Amino acid sequence: MKHLILGNGPAGVVAAETLRRAAPGDEIVLAGNEDAPPYSRMAIPYLLEGNIDESRTYLRKSPDHFRTLNIRQLNGRAVALNMDQRQVLFYDGHFESFDTLLIATGSHPVRPPIPGIDLPQVHTCWTLEDARAIAALARPGSRVLQLGAGFIGCIIMESLVKRGVRLTVVEMGNRMVPRMMTPEAGTMIKRWVEKQGVRVVTSAGVDRIEPGPDSPLAAHLTTGESLPCDLLIVAAGVAPNVAFLEGTPVHVAKGVLVDDTMQTSVPGIYAAGDVAEAPDLFSGAHLVAAIQPNAADQAR
């Protein structure tokens, strides 16, 4: 059998390794769309802090790891799924066939429709390429504005503070980490963060971004304030990578709907990780639980 895995993050890597143990003779193809070995996004803040180099973000340290396991690595982004032929079309125009398919395509950062969001000094913090761009601009004393104070935003924020920047965080909710924390807890986090020298503006957004008169950027807030900044980081959440499934019989809500075996609505096609919307163990309701330990468990 041939197993095709779309996505070489934690879910894809663990699934490939688990498959190899279960089926020593089967063909396994692991596809990723970044110009880097499989790595952990959760290690990027440590990279920005300077605690590790890029190689320490890699999920497997040996360069021969996947070759030794006879797992073929493929660089490419899936753009369409042909169910009749059981093939995946990739961006470069080639098709890859499969007997079983695992969708582990993860998620992508959400970029709000703000005028100026595509200016060169505006970045998300999701890939190694993003981290390199941020590191070049987030120097000690740099004026940095972060849009979003959710779970991911707070992880990024810590690494920025350690780089010695002058940081302002703008959050549309009325507290920090609004989707995970109660008002009391969110307020406690805000007070603690402010003691570390970070300015936090809640119940506010960014109306527009434009080149500043005396700074690379000027961010105009919904409060009427204009903030000069050298770097603006968008941490406004993520969304599952499911566009290539449009028009297929694979059922998608927020993410790819799966059952308790991680199988989709199509037999032989599975999903795991940030892209999967799986039944909650306690409530039975479907939800996306986008954390790395969950991705690894689903992959197994």
Side-chain angles (χ1 to χ4, degrees):
M1 290 187 71
K2 179 178 179 181
H3 310 284
L4 176 59
I5 299 172
L6 301 180
N8 64 350
V13 166
V14 171
E17 293 168 341
T18 306
L19 271 171
R20 177 52 71 224
R21 288 192 294 271
D26 285 5
E27 181 180 358
I28 301 173
V29 180
L30 180 63
N33 67 351
E34 292 185 46
D35 188 20
Y39 68 92
S40 170
R41 301 195 194 284
M42 296 307 295
I44 287 177
Y46 303 102
L47 175 64
L48 287 174
E49 290 174 17
N51 290 341
I52 60 173
D53 60 21
E54 284 195 15
S55 67
R56 297 293 298 277
T57 69
Y58 299 165
L59 289 167
R60 302 296 179 261
K61 307 309 178 188
S62 168
D64 295 330
H65 178 76
F66 296 101
R67 183 177 61 81
T68 301
L69 292 175
N70 195 26
I71 295 170
R72 175 161 65 94
Q73 294 191 82
L74 172 67
N75 185 267
R77 177 170 60 86
V79 295
L81 172 62
N82 185 322
M83 281 305 307
D84 293 335
Q85 301 295 322
R86 295 187 79 81
Q87 291 179 329
V88 172
L89 172 65
F90 285 84
Y91 185 76
D92 63 2
H94 97 276
F95 288 89
E96 197 75 35
S97 63
F98 63 87
D99 294 304
T100 65
L101 175 69
L102 173 64
I103 301 166
T105 47
S107 52
H108 62 274
V110 174
R111 279 183 171 256
I114 299 170
I117 197 80
D118 295 321
L119 286 169
Q121 296 85 5
V122 179
H123 295 281
T124 55
C125 187
W126 196 243
T127 66
L128 286 177
E129 185 178 358
D130 291 337
R132 296 179 198 122
I134 290 170
L137 295 172
R139 303 184 181 93
S142 296
R143 297 161 295 183
V144 179
L145 174 63
Q146 180 177 298
L147 180 57
F151 176 66
I152 293 172
C154 284
I155 295 172
I156 299 168
M157 180 175 56
E158 182 178 8
S159 62
L160 293 171
V161 169
K162 291 185 177 180
R163 292 186 69 88
V165 305
R166 290 184 285 166
L167 179 62
T168 300
V169 177
V170 175
E171 166 58 48
M172 292 190 69
N174 62 0
R175 60 189 182 275
M176 296 188 69
V177 204
R179 295 183 181 178
M180 296 176 68
M181 297 294 165
T182 64
E184 293 80 6
T187 301
M188 290 173 64
I189 294 171
K190 180 183 176 183
R191 286 200 302 265
W192 186 87
V193 166
E194 289 174 333
K195 287 181 180 178
Q196 315 311 310
V198 178
R199 184 187 175 203
V200 180
V201 183
T202 54
S203 301
V206 175
D207 266 340
R208 68 184 189 280
I209 309 162
E210 56 191 18
D214 57 356
S215 60
L217 298 174
H220 300 275
L221 306 188
T222 54
T223 60
E225 183 180 3
S226 179
L227 296 177
C229 46
D230 302 295
L231 167 66
L232 192 151
I233 297 175
V234 180
V238 296
N241 291 319
V242 294
F244 73 101
L245 296 171
E246 186 175 350
T248 73
V250 176
H251 293 169
V252 175
K254 181 180 180 182
V256 179
L257 292 169
V258 295
D259 60 20
D260 56 6
T261 70
M262 308 311 299
Q263 186 165 235
T264 71
S265 55
V266 178
I269 297 181
Y270 300 81
D274 289 12
V275 76
E277 190 168 347
D280 177 69
L281 181 63
F282 298 104
S283 70
H286 278 73
L287 54 84
V288 176
I291 56 174
Q292 186 165 318
N294 189 67
D297 286 344
Q298 290 183 344
R300 290 187 190 97

